[in-house]
Amino acid sequence: MSPARPRADKAAAPAPDMAPVFFALGDKTRLQLIAALCVGGVFSIAQLTANTALTRQAVTKHLQVLADAGLVKDLKMGRERLWQFEPQQLDEARRTLELIAQQWDQALGRFKLAMEKD
């Protein structure tokens, strides 16, 4: 009979709603937009496309994916939409990755102990 496997602590499970965040961050262009927005403040589409080969339409589509993931929000100022970074979801994604790293460390520790016993 094999040893009982430790049960996962449900409170320690990664948040299931993080998939859209990781999807949004998995694109090079969206990651660059997040990096630009992280400096703080609000930015127009014109500011975000300056000195790039990206069209306004392309940046708008990428920003919408980021907004759907909760990473940015838009503010309407007259006829212009300004974009701002929202750090809460990125902080949650970091915590999720830290939790996964801890779980891997524990699993590898158990594996090492099992190999040393044999």
Side-chain angles (χ1 to χ4, degrees), residues 3-113:
R5 203 172 156 191
R7 294 182 61 192
D9 181 4
K10 290 187 182 198
D17 57 343
M18 286 290 99
V21 173
F22 291 118
F23 171 78
L25 295 174
D27 179 88
K28 179 181 175 183
T29 300
R30 290 192 289 268
L31 203 52
Q32 289 172 339
L33 287 169
I34 287 292
L37 291 166
C38 278
V39 299
V42 293
F43 296 87
S44 68
I45 298 289
Q47 290 170 313
L48 292 169
T49 57
N51 302 319
T52 72
L54 297 170
T55 65
R56 289 179 181 217
Q57 292 83 4
V59 169
T60 300
K61 287 181 181 182
H62 284 294
L63 287 168
Q64 191 57 56
V65 172
L66 292 168
D68 291 345
L71 293 163
V72 299
K73 72 176 182 177
D74 66 319
L75 310 163
K76 299 214 190 309
M77 299 291 246
R79 294 175 49 209
E80 192 169 36
R81 285 171 73 185
L82 301 176
W83 293 87
Q84 176 179 319
F85 174 62
E86 287 291 306
Q88 295 82 8
Q89 285 293 81
L90 193 57
D91 289 340
E92 185 64 30
R94 180 188 46 78
R95 284 190 292 277
T96 297
L97 290 174
E98 287 172 353
L99 176 61
I100 291 169
Q102 288 172 358
Q103 291 170 343
W104 267 102
D105 288 345
Q106 292 168 358
L108 290 173
R110 289 190 304 271
F111 179 72
K112 180 182 175 187
L113 286 174

